[in-house]
């Protein structure tokens, strides 16, 4: 394959041009590198290298202006804007930056296409007044209408002041530089009467570029080489040649001179395959598979390019590359916003965006857990970050101040100040904190420089970024708060990349669509060929309406689509093997259906297209329930647990899921206690239980009366508050959902006491026998050669009209059918149905064994969410359904039946041959 660049150089040599004296002007710097590499192929002797520059560099040189970054342009524009606008009507820099970006793009387009500025801005103002004539001409206009029309009226003065300001400073944006270049063109031609220019590989040209190139051609100071195929050129509807056809028809130069070149490369035989693949990651993985198979024929992957339609695919593609690729060049940089440090500073800006002395615990934990911050809290081999996180969890702290953090970790005061103090005072202090933080991280990383080279490079780039922020702030003084600083930081960050080191001319090339201009490859893999990506589709980010753009010959989405059509087809022109990948899953955010380019390839009928739908192999992984065999060590743990005692709740945990029992009781793995922002159900339950314990414990052994219970009602607020402080630590119960939960706790206790009063007034006698009584019994199991204990606390035991009742409080909702048993052998099998019955029977069994109660007794639950049902008594039913006979008294027979089931359950737990088997919960 001969490349377009080689053909141009060969043609120049054949025309006896002195290559050393030529100035080559290309669409991109990257193309210049490839041109320089091709020079030795056409030169038989040692020569001086010609001047090789991009069109932007050429125009900048012509204009005598210097390009500045988009961010600095925004600052310059704001300076001009504040001079033109009344102080009371001036937007803050943050609000201004939102609409100014769009206006700058419009200024750029107007200048690049040499549109008379005053004419178009007056035209826009007139349109807005006509559009809104029904209210803009009213005598009593609202402030909003006045401001709206005033904005359009001021566009021309914004432009005039802004452009004058930039020209005085000898700086400019692309459009202004182009306009000035055209103004300086005559002087340039007079100063360089013999300088020969070669323009190659251009397609869509703005009016300024057209004017410059045509003027140089007219003065015989330039040659231009196009790269278009006859298939596209001769087809009047083919967008790939939309611009070249226009240039051929309209440029006077081509009335007498040949149009170089219209080639016939596209019609040559090609292997074209399209792959429909679900999702972006699927495309990245398939690119890796394609490269692996291509290596069998071309191990170095020379003359192979991966062109990413969507540049966000870069990282997944790099991760999917075959490991044995030697030479690799990546023309795109690694986005700085994807580096962990970016997230750290984004979090810090987010925290300080709204001035506050206290910080949300999750934000504090996120910052302290960051990989670059955590080591800074290691002082004298003490991890103060862990200490702070543990204190937050233990004390349920939802908001913290810097002082509180320093009190927890006094030796980390400096780092805490950098992260959480002095951000809101001045912008200089906020930036100073960022610089100091970078230096602190650098000091830590320098201790092991060899292992942290990449991290130090990240740090260096962020230091540069903050230097730029600091310079802009010092020079313009437009940043007034952290929120504005945050938006400028994001603006700068979005355009910053970390360059990859690679072989620019060897091996596999990975690039974006624009980097492929003028370059030719044998094998091309193009990804994300979907509508909305290639081509990018309709996006109207402009103040200039579509019809006004057409009127003034400004580019619309149609021209932008034609640019990408050209780039796409130009990649295909000289390639022999083409692999086109598209996402089969249409997504609003990442592109729609497969691109029209693929359909166009099919309809042309020039090449056979091999279509494939590729789906990843998803193995069927059958979900298997976890089983844990009981080895000797585990059996010993079970024996130790038996000696300490099984509680009714631990046994019901086993019934629910043996694996949970294994984790919690044998491995002692506890669930992490997260900070409770809203009071959890178990905290509410504990508060209610403890309040009732305080009320009833002093009444043990006495008959309660209406007066006693009424006297307790006045203490509800005090006791509930006390227990909330005890359980909820530093959590706030004075507002929001927590206040509601606090009121619910008081209501539960109050309603319960009302129920007691109602009972007593009905003539019932209630005597308190025990409150929170500890029970501990040895369970007689002859099959086991070690003791087994059963332990537990009963919430309340009382005597109700002479009948002993064992009562368990539940703050959740419990129904009568949850404390009923039909078949005893089901008691230890169904957690949801029988766990409540199991617990209260266990309490009855323990108390009977200890001799603290005499059978028969009643046992049951008082459900605070179902208080109207009163005391829910345990019942043994003779059958299911209506008409069943219920026995509410717990007798010796009841206890014997329960003991038999309890014994079987404990034998199962202790049996070394029965593994712990997970249940589907």
């Amino acid at each position: 394959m001969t490349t377009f660049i080689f053909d141009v150089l060969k043609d120049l040599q054949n025309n006896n041009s002195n290559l050393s004296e030529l100035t080559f002007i290309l669409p991109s710097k990257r193309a210049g590198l490839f041109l320089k590499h091709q020079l030795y192929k056409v030169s038989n002797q040692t020569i001086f290298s010609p001047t090789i520059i991009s069109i932007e560099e050429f125009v900048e040189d012509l204009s005598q202006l210097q390009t500045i970054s988009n961010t600095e342009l925004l600052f310059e524009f704001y300076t001009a804007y504040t001079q033109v606008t009344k102080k009371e009507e001036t937007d803050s820099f943050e609000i201004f930056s939102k609409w100014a970006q769009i206006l700058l793009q419009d200024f750029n387009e107007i200048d690049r296409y040499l549109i008379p500025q005053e004419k178009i801005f007056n035209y826009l103002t007139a349109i807005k007044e006509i559009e809104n004539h029904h209210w803009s001409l009213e005598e009593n206009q609202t402030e909003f209408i006045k401001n709206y029309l005033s904005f359009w009226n001021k566009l021309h003065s914004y432009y005039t002041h802004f452009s004058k300001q930039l020209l005085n400073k000898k700086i400019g944006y692309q459009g202004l530089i182009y306009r000035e270049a055209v103004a300086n063109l005559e002087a340039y031609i007079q100063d360089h009467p013999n300088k020969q220019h070669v323009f190659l590989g251009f397609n869509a040209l703005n009016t300024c570029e057209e004017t410059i190139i045509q003027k140089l051609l007219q003065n015989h100071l330039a040659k231009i080489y196009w790269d278009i195929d006859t298939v596209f050129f001769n087809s009047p509807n083919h967008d790939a040649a939309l611009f070249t056809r226009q240039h051929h028809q309209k440029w006077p130069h081509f009335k007498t001179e040949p149009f170089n070149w219209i080639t016939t490369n596209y019609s040559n035989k090609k292997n074209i395959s399209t792959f429909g693949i679900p999702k972006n990651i699927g495309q990245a993985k398939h690119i890796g598979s394609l490269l692996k198979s291509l290596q069998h024929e071309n191990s170095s992957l020379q003359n192979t390019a991966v062109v990413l339609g969507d540049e966000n695919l870069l990282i997944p593609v790099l991760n999917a590359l075959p490991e044995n690729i030697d030479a690799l060049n990546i023309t795109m940089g690694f986005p700085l916003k994807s580096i962990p440090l970016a997230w750290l500073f984004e979090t810090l800006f987010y925290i300080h965006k709204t001035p506050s002395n206290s910080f949300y615990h999750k934000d504090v934990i996120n910052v302290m857990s960051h990989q670059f911050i955590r080591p800074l809290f290691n002082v004298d081999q003490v991890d103060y970050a862990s200490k702070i996180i543990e204190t937050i969890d233990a004390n349920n702290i939802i908001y913290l101040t810097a002082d509180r953090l320093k009190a927890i970790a006094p030796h980390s005061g400096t780092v805490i100040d950098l992260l959480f103090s002095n951000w809101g005072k001045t912008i200089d202090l906020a930036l100073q904190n960022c610089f100091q933080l970078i230096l602190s991280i650098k000091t830590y990383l320098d201790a092991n420089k060899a292992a942290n080279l990449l991290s130090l490079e990240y740090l260096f780039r962020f230091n540069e970024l903050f230097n730029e922020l600091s310079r802009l702030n010092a020079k313009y003084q437009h940043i007034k708060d952290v929120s504005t600083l945050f938006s400028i930081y994001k603006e700068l960050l979005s355009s910053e990349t970390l360059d990859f080191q690679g072989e620019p001319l060897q091996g596999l090339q990975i690039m974006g669509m624009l980097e492929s201009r003028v370059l030719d490859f044998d094998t091309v893999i193009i990804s994300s060929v979907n509508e909305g990506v290639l081509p990018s589709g309709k996006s109207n980010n402009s103040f200039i309406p579509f019809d006004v753009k057409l009127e003034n010959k400004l580019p619309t989405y149609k021209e932008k689509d034609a640019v990408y059509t050209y780039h796409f087809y130009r990649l295909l022109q000289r390639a022999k093997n083409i692999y086109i990948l598209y996402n089969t899953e249409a997504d609003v955010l990442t592109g729609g259906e497969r691109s029209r380019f693929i359909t166009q390839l099919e309809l042309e009928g020039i090449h056979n297209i091999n279509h494939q739908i590729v789906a990843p192999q998803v193995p069927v992984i059958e979900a298997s329930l976890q089983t844990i065999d009981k080895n000797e060590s585990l059996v010993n743990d079970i024996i130790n647990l038996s000696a300490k005692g099984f509680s009714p709740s631990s046994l019901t945990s086993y019934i629910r899921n043996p694996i949970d029992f294994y984790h919690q009781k044998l491995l002692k793995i506890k669930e992490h206690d997260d900070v409770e922002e809203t009071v959890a159900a178990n905290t509410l339950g504990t508060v209610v239980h403890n309040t009732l314990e305080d009320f009833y414990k002093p009444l043990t052994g006495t008959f309660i009366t209406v007066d006693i219970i009424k006297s307790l009602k006045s203490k509800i607020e005090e006791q509930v508050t006390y227990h909330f402080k005890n359980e909820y630590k530093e959590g706030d119960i004075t507002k929001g959902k927590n206040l509601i939960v606090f009121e619910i706790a008081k209501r539960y206790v109050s309603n319960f006491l009302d129920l007691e009063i109602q009972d007593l007034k009905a003539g019932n006698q209630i005597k308190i026998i025990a409150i929170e009584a500890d029970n501990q019994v040895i369970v007689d199991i002859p099959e086991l050669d070690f003791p087994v204990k059963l332990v537990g606390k009963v919430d309340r035991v009382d005597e109700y009209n002479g009948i002993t009742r064992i009562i368990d409080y539940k703050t959740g909702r419990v129904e009568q059918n949850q404390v009923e048993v039909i078949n005893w052998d089901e008691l230890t099998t169904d957690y949801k149905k029988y766990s409540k019955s199991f617990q209260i029977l266990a309490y009855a069994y323990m108390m009977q064994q200890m001799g603290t109660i005499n059978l028969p007794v009643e046992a049951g639950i008082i459900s605070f969410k179902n208080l109207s049902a009163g005391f829910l008594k345990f019942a043994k039913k003779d059958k299911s359904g209506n008409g069943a006979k219920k026995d509410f008294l717990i007798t010796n027979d009841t206890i014997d039946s329960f003991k038999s089931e309890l014994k079987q359950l404990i034998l199962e737990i202790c049996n070394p041959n029965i593994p712990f088997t997970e249940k589907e919960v």
Side-chain angles (χ1 to χ4, degrees):
M1 177 193 78
T2 60
T3 65
F4 168 65
I5 290 173
F6 178 81
D7 289 342
V8 169
L9 292 171
K10 200 72 186 160
D11 185 69
L12 289 168
Q13 188 193 39
N14 292 341
N15 291 328
N16 299 317
S17 298
N18 185 343
L19 295 177
S20 297
E21 292 177 0
L22 296 176
T23 297
F24 288 92
I25 300 160
L26 300 108
S28 68
K29 285 183 182 178
R30 179 162 179 72
L33 188 68
F34 275 76
L35 188 144
K36 198 176 284 186
H37 181 63
Q38 296 274 323
L39 278 170
Y40 78 93
K41 293 183 180 178
V42 294
S43 178
N44 301 322
Q45 59 193 48
T46 305
I47 60 167
F48 284 107
S49 175
T51 304
I52 303 171
I53 53 174
S54 68
I55 185 71
E56 279 87 4
E57 290 170 314
F58 176 63
V59 170
E60 199 172 308
D61 182 47
L62 204 53
S63 69
Q64 301 296 302
L65 299 178
Q66 188 183 350
T67 308
I68 59 169
S69 69
N70 283 340
T71 311
E72 187 159 4
L73 209 54
L74 213 53
F75 279 85
E76 287 285 353
F77 188 16
Y78 191 66
T79 304
Y81 164 76
T82 51
Q83 289 167 359
V84 176
T85 315
K86 291 176 187 172
K87 196 169 184 180
E88 61 273 13
E89 294 173 9
T90 308
D91 284 340
S92 70
F93 185 75
E94 192 174 6
I95 294 169
F96 163 84
S97 62
K98 302 286 190 293
W99 57 263
Q101 297 270 26
I102 301 168
L103 196 54
L104 283 172
Q105 287 174 25
D106 289 339
F107 287 173
N108 195 38
E109 292 287 86
I110 288 165
D111 282 338
R112 278 162 30 111
Y113 285 84
L114 293 175
I115 309 297
Q117 304 96 320
E118 192 169 0
K119 177 191 161 193
I120 192 166
F121 289 128
N122 289 343
Y123 191 72
L124 279 172
T125 306
I127 283 176
K128 291 298 162 187
E129 287 180 349
I130 292 167
E131 274 180 9
N132 305 300
H133 70 279
H134 57 289
W135 47 259
S136 67
L137 300 177
E138 288 177 12
E139 285 183 29
N140 300 319
Q141 292 180 348
T142 65
E143 279 303 306
F144 183 81
I145 296 168
K146 286 177 185 173
N147 290 341
Y148 179 75
L149 293 173
S150 166
F151 171 77
W152 292 99
N153 282 317
K154 284 178 187 164
L155 286 183
H156 186 239
S157 65
Y158 288 158
Y159 174 86
T160 311
H161 276 78
F162 180 47
S163 54
K164 276 182 185 172
Q165 180 181 303
L166 293 178
L167 290 171
N168 288 338
K169 293 183 179 181
K170 293 285 181 187
I171 53 176
Y173 52 89
Q174 193 191 51
L176 188 64
I177 288 170
Y178 269 90
R179 197 185 273 273
E180 282 302 299
V182 171
N184 296 343
L185 188 57
E186 284 295 342
Y188 175 83
I189 290 169
Q190 286 171 16
D191 292 344
H192 305 88
N194 300 314
K195 190 173 183 180
Q196 282 296 316
H197 307 78
V198 178
F199 293 88
L200 64 151
F202 287 91
N203 172 45
L205 298 168
N206 59 52
T207 310
C208 288
E209 287 168 337
E210 285 193 44
T211 307
I212 291 165
I213 294 171
Q214 287 196 74
K215 194 76 174 171
L216 291 171
L217 287 170
Q218 189 185 320
N219 286 275
H220 307 292
L221 297 176
K223 284 187 174 184
I224 185 160
Y225 291 90
W226 309 96
D227 188 14
I228 195 70
D229 196 277
T230 184
V231 171
F232 318 138
F233 192 80
N234 293 333
S235 171
N237 296 320
H238 206 302
D239 274 355
L242 176 72
F243 300 106
T244 41
R245 281 195 299 270
Q246 287 175 2
H247 302 326
H248 182 252
Q249 288 164 13
K250 294 177 182 176
W251 286 20
H253 177 77
F254 297 120
K255 298 280 188 288
T256 54
E257 298 294 328
F259 189 86
N260 290 333
W261 285 310
I262 301 169
T263 62
T264 56
N265 293 308
Y266 182 67
S267 302
N268 295 342
K269 189 175 183 304
K270 299 179 190 304
N271 300 315
I272 302 179
S273 300
T274 66
F275 298 94
I277 305 161
K279 299 293 180 185
N280 285 337
I281 298 298
Q283 291 183 72
K285 296 285 183 194
H286 194 63
I287 288 170
S289 302
L290 285 172
L291 291 171
K292 204 166 189 176
S293 61
L294 288 169
Q295 279 183 309
H296 296 312
E297 299 162 28
N298 176 6
S299 60
S300 68
L301 294 174
Q302 191 65 24
N303 269 330
T304 302
V306 173
V307 180
L308 303 179
D310 178 2
E311 296 191 5
N312 290 321
L313 236 62
L314 176 62
I315 306 305
V317 166
L318 292 180
N319 283 309
L321 293 178
E323 289 180 9
N324 56 347
I325 288 181
D326 294 326
L328 170 68
N329 185 50
I330 303 156
T331 64
M332 297 169 286
F334 184 81
L336 222 55
K337 64 183 178 186
S338 302
I339 288 166
L341 264 175
W343 177 82
L344 169 65
F345 287 111
E346 187 164 329
T347 308
L348 286 171
F349 281 128
Y350 176 78
I351 289 172
H352 296 289
K353 193 165 69 166
T354 308
S356 173
N357 291 325
S358 59
F359 307 100
Y360 183 48
H361 71 281
K362 283 187 180 174
D363 291 333
V364 172
I365 291 170
N366 280 344
V367 169
M368 290 192 169
S369 304
H370 192 276
Q371 66 194 72
F372 287 117
I373 296 298
R374 191 78 182 243
L376 304 183
F377 281 89
N378 281 329
V379 183
D380 299 329
Q381 296 186 325
V382 178
D383 184 358
Y384 283 102
S386 290
K387 201 173 173 187
I388 289 169
I389 293 165
E390 284 163 16
T391 306
I392 289 170
D393 287 344
N395 293 291
N396 216 53
I397 308 170
I398 296 165
Y399 286 93
L400 301 96
T401 62
D403 289 338
R404 181 71 197 274
L405 288 167
K406 284 191 270 191
I408 301 167
H411 296 287
S412 299
T414 309
V415 184
I416 290 167
D417 278 337
L418 289 179
L419 295 168
F420 302 107
S421 299
N422 300 326
W423 281 73
K425 289 181 182 175
T426 67
I427 297 305
D428 287 333
L429 270 173
L431 287 169
Q432 199 54 44
N433 280 356
C434 294
F435 283 122
Q436 286 300 321
L437 201 56
I438 287 170
L439 282 174
S440 300
I441 297 168
K442 180 181 180 295
T443 305
Y444 163 72
L445 295 176
D446 278 343
N448 188 2
K449 196 174 269 188
N452 295 317
L453 283 176
L454 192 57
S455 296
L456 284 163
E457 182 63 29
Y458 294 162
L459 213 55
F460 172 72
R461 290 306 301 274
F462 273 89
N463 196 55
E464 281 189 324
L465 187 142
F466 281 108
N467 275 331
E468 178 64 6
L469 268 174
S470 187
R471 184 187 72 80
L472 291 170
N473 182 50
K475 185 176 177 182
Y476 296 99
Q477 298 288 315
H478 294 329
I479 305 173
K480 302 297 181 193
D481 53 43
V482 175
S483 182
T484 309
L485 184 65
F486 185 23
S487 63
I488 302 302
Y489 162 81
K490 286 193 288 188
E491 172 68 27
L492 277 173
L493 188 67
S494 64
S495 58
E496 290 292 320
T497 56
L498 198 64
D499 293 333
F500 290 96
Q501 288 183 343
E503 296 290 338
L505 302 162
Q506 290 177 12
L508 177 66
Q509 304 286 318
I510 298 178
M511 58 184 67
M513 186 56 87
L514 291 177
E515 277 102 20
S516 69
R517 289 176 293 182
V518 193
L519 309 181
D520 296 298
F521 301 96
D522 282 334
T523 303
V524 179
I525 301 170
I526 311 174
S527 76
S528 304
V529 186
N530 285 76
E531 288 296 317
V533 182
L534 279 178
S536 58
K538 296 180 184 179
S539 57
N540 188 29
N541 212 10
S542 170
F543 283 119
I544 305 171
F546 184 78
D547 53 333
V548 178
K549 285 191 172 187
L550 289 177
E551 172 72 22
N552 288 276
K553 296 186 173 57
L554 282 168
T556 62
Y557 65 85
K558 180 173 171 32
E559 282 73 30
K560 285 173 185 169
D561 282 358
V563 169
Y564 276 94
T565 308
Y566 174 79
H567 292 323
F568 177 80
Y569 275 97
R570 217 210 67 76
L571 270 172
L572 272 52
Q573 268 181 222
R574 293 175 182 78
K576 294 171 185 169
N577 304 303
I578 298 143
Y579 303 93
I580 298 168
L581 281 62
Y582 65 93
N583 185 354
T584 54
E585 309 298 305
D587 189 323
V588 176
L589 298 174
T590 55
E593 60 189 340
R594 74 172 192 169
S595 174
R596 68 192 82 164
F597 294 161
I598 297 172
T599 309
Q600 200 167 345
L601 282 171
E602 292 169 352
L603 294 174
E604 283 167 0
I606 297 169
H607 303 289
N608 288 324
I609 316 291
N610 172 28
H611 289 286
Q612 290 184 47
I613 297 293
V614 180
Q617 283 186 339
V618 181
V620 177
I621 301 169
E622 290 183 15
S624 60
L625 296 173
Q626 188 183 1
T627 58
I628 307 290
D629 291 320
K630 294 170 186 169
N631 57 23
E632 192 179 337
S633 168
L634 202 49
V635 170
N636 286 331
D637 288 342
I638 294 168
I639 292 169
N640 291 334
L641 180 62
S642 303
K644 286 179 184 172
F646 294 109
S647 67
S649 59
S650 69
L651 292 172
T652 54
S653 162
Y654 179 86
I655 293 167
R656 182 178 176 274
N657 190 354
I659 290 295
D660 288 347
F661 173 86
Y662 164 71
H663 286 150
Q664 291 164 12
K665 300 300 171 186
L666 298 172
L667 296 186
K668 307 283 194 294
I669 298 172
K670 291 183 180 177
E671 282 188 27
H672 178 66
D673 286 335
D674 286 322
V675 172
E676 281 181 44
E677 292 180 52
T678 305
V679 179
N682 60 341
T683 304
L684 170 65
T686 306
V687 169
V688 172
H689 273 70
N690 291 352
T691 303
L692 290 175
E693 182 184 355
D694 287 353
F695 284 169
Y696 282 93
K697 196 105 177 176
L699 303 174
T700 306
T702 62
F703 284 93
I704 56 174
T705 64
V706 171
D707 290 338
I708 291 171
I709 301 302
K710 279 183 177 174
S711 70
L712 294 176
K713 289 199 78 171
S714 61
K715 300 175 187 173
I716 292 174
E717 174 103 25
E718 180 192 339
Q719 287 303 110
V720 169
T721 306
Y722 169 77
H723 285 296
F724 258 115
K725 287 221 168 112
N726 240 12
E727 295 298 324
Y728 199 50
K729 309 291 183 196
E730 296 179 42
D732 185 5
I733 55 165
T734 61
K735 55 180 180 282
K737 285 184 182 175
N738 289 346
L739 179 59
I740 296 170
V741 176
F742 174 67
E743 292 299 326
I744 287 169
K746 291 196 305 187
R747 181 72 58 85
Y748 277 174
V749 176
S750 178
N751 288 351
F752 176 74
L753 294 178
D754 287 342
L755 189 71
E756 295 273 71
I757 290 168
Q758 197 181 315
D759 251 355
L760 291 166
K761 281 184 176 177
N764 297 304
Q765 283 191 319
I766 302 171
K767 182 185 178 183
I768 305 298
I769 294 170
I771 297 292
E772 293 291 327
D774 282 316
N775 299 293
Q776 186 171 305
V777 296
I778 301 280
V779 184
D780 180 28
I781 305 177
E783 292 90 336
L784 298 176
D785 58 358
F786 52 85
V788 176
K789 273 187 194 169
L790 195 59
V791 295
K793 259 187 184 182
V794 180
D795 289 337
R796 167 169 161 168
V797 182
D798 66 16
E799 207 173 84
Y800 188 84
N801 296 334
I803 296 171
T804 303
R805 298 190 306 178
I806 297 166
I807 300 170
D808 193 28
Y809 299 139
K810 298 285 182 197
T811 42
R813 187 173 186 86
V814 181
E815 301 291 347
Q816 177 61 46
N817 62 5
Q818 289 178 277
V819 286
E820 295 174 346
V821 172
I822 301 164
N823 299 315
W824 283 109
D825 54 0
E826 291 177 2
L827 185 67
T828 57
T829 57
D830 192 329
Y831 171 84
K832 198 170 182 184
K833 221 171 178 184
Y834 299 117
S835 63
K836 308 286 188 300
S837 300
F838 184 93
Q839 269 188 297
I840 52 180
L841 286 170
Y843 293 136
Y845 168 74
M846 282 190 281
M847 295 192 82
Q848 186 257 348
Q849 289 289 300
M850 289 174 70
T852 51
I853 57 167
N854 294 314
L855 300 178
V857 295
E858 290 179 344
I861 284 170
I862 289 178
S863 164
F864 289 96
K865 269 195 179 173
N866 191 14
L867 264 181
S868 57
F871 177 54
L872 302 170
K873 299 177 193 174
F874 166 78
K876 169 69 179 76
K877 290 167 70 175
D878 62 344
K879 62 175 184 178
S880 59
N882 294 329
K885 185 185 169 192
K886 295 182 183 179
D887 186 1
F888 292 107
L889 285 175
I890 294 173
T891 62
N892 279 317
D893 287 346
T894 316
I895 296 295
D896 288 344
S897 300
F898 170 73
K899 186 184 174 184
S900 172
E901 295 305 317
L902 174 68
K903 184 179 161 185
Q904 289 305 316
L905 181 66
I906 292 172
L907 280 171
E908 185 183 313
I909 293 170
C910 299
N911 189 337
N913 299 318
I914 300 176
F916 291 115
T917 305
E918 186 179 7
K919 284 185 183 175
E920 287 184 13
V921 180

